[in-house]
Amino acid sequence: MSGLDKAADLAGDKAGYSFSTCWNIKRHTRGSEMIEEIRSLGFRQVELNYNVTEELLATIEPMIERGEIGVSSVHNTFPHVADPDYGTDSVLLGFEDAERRGRAIELLVRSAEYAHRYGAKAVVVHPGEVPFPYDISRSLQEIYREQGPDAEAYRILWEEMLERRQALAGGYLARIRDSLEQASETLAARGYDLILGIETRSRCNQIPTLAEARWIIDQLKGSPVKLWFDIGHGMMMERMGLYDNAAELPGLIDDIGGLHIHETIGLSDHWCPYVHSGDDETFDLYLEAIDRVPLKVYELKAACEPEAIHRSHAILQQKLSARKKAFDSEPAANGGIRA
């Protein structure tokens, strides 16, 4: 057993969970070393995020071929595309310009090609946004942190954001739907069995909200398009006032293709659940989704140390186990079937 395998054994095998390369990609110039560090945490699957370059893949692909690491998902656009028009915070699949939107669809299909090649089950997609002349979400977050969400300045700017978002979202949503439909048809023609997971986002002008995700999925019934629920982003958007997870998430639970697992402290995201917040209850809202959704990916920031990652995972497993025991012990009148 190699030193890395021994370390992974000590860390505990985190079977059933994947881990995003966003955690350590900035620490490595060699892809295999990046993956080996993740393996040492006890993970046997990774999500290859959108900053993974072709140079990094040169040493990752042999590991995939040898079965040393599995790939649960890749994150569009993949491999890394330097053009900000096709980055993570752009209009992307909702471009009005046909040529630019066509290029965005091509890049999504290219991401799917890599996912298929690696035996992954999903492509995580940032569908697009309602563009603003400046980063209004950042301005709102600054007011939130300095004055709180009840401040008049926050309320005024929030209403300004919401008015423009609601006025323009319909056109962007329609184009995003059409783009996803076109990509889905291409994947079907190629025989790719992949989920296209539209991710809940971290800026209030970005698409989709939970209601928008419901609309897109309903529009594309029979397609591989599902919701990719980013828990930390969902927590952040609820705090800012965009949607209500407790009220809206149950109606989407059967259409969630995958999860990004992390916790938001205030409006700071990608922290280890339960550990960094010190909050033993708030994150419990998402246990149902974590229990039921098969694709579970930790998406943590570099500041999360291995000890915190292990402790967070242990707490999560304890809570899931306790939840299962409580459910299994429910009276037989319920038939043992979850409502």
Side-chain angles (χ1 to χ4, degrees), residues 168-272:
L168 299 179
Y172 290 98
L173 281 165
R175 288 187 291 274
I176 286 169
R177 174 202 58 201
D178 294 346
S179 297
L180 288 168
E181 183 174 36
Q182 186 173 332
S184 297
E185 290 171 354
T186 302
L187 268 57
R190 297 185 182 186
Y192 294 174
D193 184 16
L194 292 166
I195 290 167
L196 295 179
I198 52 174
E199 182 184 347
T200 48
R201 304 289 288 111
S202 61
R203 298 183 185 181
C204 56
N205 61 306
Q206 294 178 320
I207 295 170
T209 63
L210 294 183
E212 289 166 348
R214 175 77 276 160
W215 182 84
I216 291 170
I217 292 166
D218 287 346
Q219 289 280 305
L220 297 174
K221 285 188 182 298
S223 81
V225 175
K226 300 287 185 183
L227 172 65
W228 190 278
F229 187 65
D230 184 296
I231 297 174
H233 294 168
M235 295 176 77
M236 183 188 300
M237 289 301 97
E238 178 170 302
R239 286 175 183 153
M240 291 187 74
L242 195 61
Y243 48 80
D244 182 336
N245 292 300
E248 298 180 63
L249 196 58
L252 279 156
I253 195 79
D254 292 327
D255 291 299
I256 299 176
L259 299 167
H260 278 155
I261 299 173
H262 60 99
E263 188 168 20
T264 301
I265 304 170
L267 298 182
S268 174
D269 55 1
H270 300 285
W271 293 104
C272 294

Side-chain angles (χ1 to χ4, degrees), residues 13-267:
D13 184 26
K14 297 176 175 64
Y17 290 79
S18 182
F19 197 85
S20 172
T21 55
C22 73
W23 175 65
N24 63 343
I25 192 166
K26 293 183 179 178
R27 293 200 293 270
H28 295 280
T29 57
R30 186 173 175 81
S32 57
E33 293 173 359
M34 175 175 69
I35 299 302
E36 285 166 355
E37 186 180 24
I38 292 172
R39 289 181 68 228
S40 75
L41 297 174
F43 292 95
R44 291 293 175 256
Q45 294 187 81
V46 294
E47 178 175 288
L48 297 172
N49 81 318
Y50 48 77
N51 285 321
V52 173
T53 62
E54 292 181 356
E55 289 75 19
L56 289 169
L57 285 175
T59 55
I60 295 172
E61 287 187 341
M63 297 181 74
I64 299 171
E65 291 167 2
R66 292 192 297 265
E68 295 171 9
I69 193 70
V71 179
S72 63
S73 39
V74 305
H75 199 312
N76 187 61
T77 54
F78 182 89
H80 179 66
V81 175
D83 187 341
D85 270 357
Y86 305 103
T88 56
D89 299 312
S90 79
V91 177
L92 209 59
L93 297 177
F95 277 126
E96 290 183 76
D97 181 83
E99 185 175 341
R100 295 168 84 191
R101 190 162 67 87
R103 175 62 175 155
I105 296 168
E106 289 173 3
L107 289 171
L108 174 54
V109 171
R110 185 183 74 154
S111 296
E113 289 172 354
Y114 278 88
H116 177 73
R117 184 192 311 171
Y118 298 156
K121 296 178 180 177
V123 179
V124 182
V125 185
H126 292 178
E129 62 185 39
V130 175
F132 278 71
Y134 68 102
D135 189 346
I136 194 168
S137 192
R138 181 173 181 175
S139 297
L140 281 161
Q141 289 176 21
E142 288 173 355
I143 299 171
Y144 185 105
R145 292 187 178 103
E146 294 170 6
Q147 302 179 42
D150 296 326
E152 184 179 5
Y154 187 86
R155 180 184 59 77
I156 291 171
L157 190 58
W158 182 263
E159 289 177 359
E160 177 186 323
M161 181 283 299
L162 207 58
E163 183 178 359
R164 177 179 169 87
R165 195 190 198 288
Q166 291 173 342
L168 299 179
Y172 290 98
L173 281 165
R175 288 187 291 274
I176 286 169
R177 174 202 58 201
D178 294 346
S179 297
L180 288 168
E181 183 174 36
Q182 186 173 332
S184 297
E185 290 171 354
T186 302
L187 268 57
R190 297 185 182 186
Y192 294 174
D193 184 16
L194 292 166
I195 290 167
L196 295 179
I198 52 174
E199 182 184 347
T200 48
R201 304 289 288 111
S202 61
R203 298 183 185 181
C204 56
N205 61 306
Q206 294 178 320
I207 295 170
T209 63
L210 294 183
E212 289 166 348
R214 175 77 276 160
W215 182 84
I216 291 170
I217 292 166
D218 287 346
Q219 289 280 305
L220 297 174
K221 285 188 182 298
S223 81
V225 175
K226 300 287 185 183
L227 172 65
W228 190 278
F229 187 65
D230 184 296
I231 297 174
H233 294 168
M235 295 176 77
M236 183 188 300
M237 289 301 97
E238 178 170 302
R239 286 175 183 153
M240 291 187 74
L242 195 61
Y243 48 80
D244 182 336
N245 292 300
E248 298 180 63
L249 196 58
L252 279 156
I253 195 79
D254 292 327
D255 291 299
I256 299 176
L259 299 167
H260 278 155
I261 299 173
H262 60 99
E263 188 168 20
T264 301
I265 304 170
L267 298 182

